[in-house]
Amino acid sequence: MFDVITIGSATLDIFVESDGANIVSVNSLKKKTEFMSFPYGAKVEIDGFSRNIGGGGINTAANFANLGLKTSTIIKLGNDEIAPVIENKMKHDKVDTSNIIHSKDYLTGLSIILVSFQGDRTVLAHRGANATISENEIDFNKFKEAKWLYVAPLAGDTNKLLDKIADYAANNGINLAINAGSTAIKKGERYFNNILKTAKIVVMNKEEASMLTKIEVRPDTKDEKFSDAEIHPDVITMLKKLHCKDDSIVVITDGKYGVYSYDGKNFYHAPEFSAKVVSTLGAGDAFSSTLVASVQKYGEDIIKALSYASVNAAAVIEKFGAQEGFLTFEQIEKRLAKHPEYKVKVINAAG
């Protein structure tokens, strides 16, 4: 019996850091967009370079295992020299590898991460085998061996499995958690509706939530009722719309502004846990998987789950690599003890 089985991507991440990068802001009437730029046609010096194993499927699996959960992962690796490196890394991290799929026709996923001097990043992603997982390659009966099924962002045609996964979880009493990513969300609310009605934990960022709900967060709108909690009324509306299952927890992440959550009874705002930003890559995976692991270990204590998830995400941000900063539950508790000022704010939905 596994505590959790993850399904998602596996990649070799190549980090490139250059002080020659420029951050260019472009403003229009309705939005502001920032771009990372380099001089066209120039040879740009690299100031930092490293290679790490990444991808939502294995980032989350490694974190679950580090938190003490018995974990397996469903990923698809290509026919190349990267595949055994990833599989060996999973074994080292004490993640069961019996559900890994091997492809003879595709290469393993590869990402080139351009890191800015601000710590944020632009990712050039080749999905490779990640985008080609098909229904007949998965033994769905293996899901019955897990308490939780965690779905990380899926690539390409692999998104076609979402409905099948949701139905199987619902029909077999398996807890489903999902951080779907923009590819699935772009398919629209009707496509995603089955997931929202099935998943116990749903996590997405504010831009994805806006895309799915068709609700824009208006910058000039205020609501005295929720001003102390620092939750925008449009975000409140998003959370309510996304909460489609009585016992579900919906979470919207909002970068440096923290995260917002709704469990059908109360709204929650967890501010960003203080961290020295080195790279933001992997912070979302760390947050989402720690949230699920906390619910599995401690029950539906939303305040504790949001706090622990925020601390672990901050620890990842302080390291160069998506899996480098993972903390155990004991280490998370020690960090929280050193910061008694950190509080998750709670607002009664009826208040």
Side-chain angles (χ1 to χ4, degrees), residues 30 34 60 64 73 87 110 119 136 149 155 162 181 187 192 219 222 224 260 293 304 312 338 343:
K30 293 186 177 180
E34 293 186 327
T60 53
F64 280 124
T73 187
E87 190 160 357
L110 174 70
N136 62 9
L149 180 62
L162 276 177
K187 294 181 179 292
F192 209 73
K222 294 183 179 180
E224 295 298 328
Y260 316 105
K304 177 173 282 191
N312 215 4
K338 291 179 180 179
K343 302 292 183 184

Side-chain angles (χ1 to χ4, degrees), residues 31-326:
K31 67 178 181 177
K32 174 183 177 181
T33 307
E34 293 186 327
F35 298 88
M36 184 184 295
S37 71
F38 297 90
Y40 183 68
K43 181 180 288 186
V44 180
E45 293 292 328
I46 293 175
D47 299 289
F49 174 85
S50 68
R51 293 175 295 177
N52 298 91
I53 304 304
I58 58 177
N59 286 343
T60 53
N63 188 39
F64 280 124
N66 188 64
L67 289 167
L69 275 66
K70 190 175 180 182
T71 307
S72 184
T73 187
I74 299 172
I75 54 174
K76 189 171 184 178
L77 303 178
N79 182 23
D80 50 37
E81 69 281 1
I82 300 173
V85 174
I86 291 178
E87 190 160 357
N88 287 335
K89 174 68 164 56
M90 291 289 89
K91 291 176 180 177
H92 177 268
D93 291 336
K94 296 182 173 54
V95 175
D96 173 79
T97 59
S98 63
N99 291 307
I100 290 179
I101 304 163
H102 296 272
S103 170
K104 296 180 180 179
D105 302 317
Y106 296 93
L107 296 176
T108 302
L110 174 70
S111 292
I112 299 173
I113 297 98
L114 306 176
V115 183
S116 80
F117 59 88
Q118 295 176 330
D120 216 334
R121 77 281 188 270
T122 295
V123 181
L124 308 178
H126 172 65
R127 303 300 183 185
N130 293 316
T132 68
I133 301 177
S134 60
E135 184 176 331
N136 62 9
E137 292 178 309
I138 296 177
D139 182 356
F140 281 84
N141 287 324
K142 290 288 185 72
F143 292 170
K144 294 178 181 178
E145 300 177 6
K147 299 173 185 175
W148 285 87
L149 180 62
Y150 178 97
V151 182
L154 303 178
D157 287 344
T158 305
N159 276 289
K160 295 176 182 178
L161 295 172
L162 276 177
D163 265 346
K164 175 75 173 179
I165 291 170
D167 288 342
Y168 196 91
N171 293 334
N172 290 277
I174 304 164
N175 291 315
L176 177 64
I178 184 165
N179 180 9
S182 58
T183 302
I185 287 171
K186 284 177 181 176
K187 294 181 179 292
E189 187 176 359
R190 180 178 297 179
Y191 173 84
F192 209 73
N193 200 42
N194 193 33
I195 295 292
L196 294 176
K197 289 180 177 179
T198 304
K200 186 172 182 63
I201 296 179
V202 178
V203 182
M204 62 187 72
N205 65 38
K206 189 171 72 173
E207 290 72 25
E208 292 164 346
S210 179
M211 187 188 309
L212 183 60
T213 62
K214 303 295 190 296
I215 297 170
E216 294 286 341
V217 178
R218 297 160 293 174
D220 58 344
T221 302
K222 294 183 179 180
D223 190 322
E224 295 298 328
K225 183 178 180 181
F226 294 106
S227 59
D228 291 340
E230 300 176 27
I231 303 182
H232 194 285
D234 293 334
V235 175
I236 293 285
T237 306
M238 284 182 190
L239 289 166
K240 287 182 175 179
K241 190 169 184 179
L242 293 171
H243 191 268
C244 299
K245 187 173 181 282
D246 288 342
D247 62 344
S248 69
I249 302 166
V250 179
V251 178
I252 296 175
T253 64
D254 193 15
K256 65 182 180 181
Y257 300 107
V259 301
Y260 316 105
S261 183
Y262 181 52
D263 61 1
K265 300 176 183 177
N266 298 307
F267 295 99
Y268 305 84
H269 174 224
E272 181 184 45
F273 194 83
S274 179
K276 182 180 179 181
V277 179
V278 174
S279 171
T280 57
L281 189 75
D285 290 332
F287 176 90
S288 300
S289 50
T290 305
L291 181 79
V292 175
S294 298
V295 171
Q296 167 60 25
K297 185 175 177 66
Y298 299 106
E300 295 181 22
D301 185 337
I302 310 300
I303 294 175
K304 177 173 282 191
L306 291 172
S307 299
Y308 281 22
S310 298
V311 172
N312 215 4
V316 168
I317 285 172
E318 293 179 332
K319 300 290 184 178
F320 203 65
Q323 300 178 26
E324 300 304 311
F326 290 154

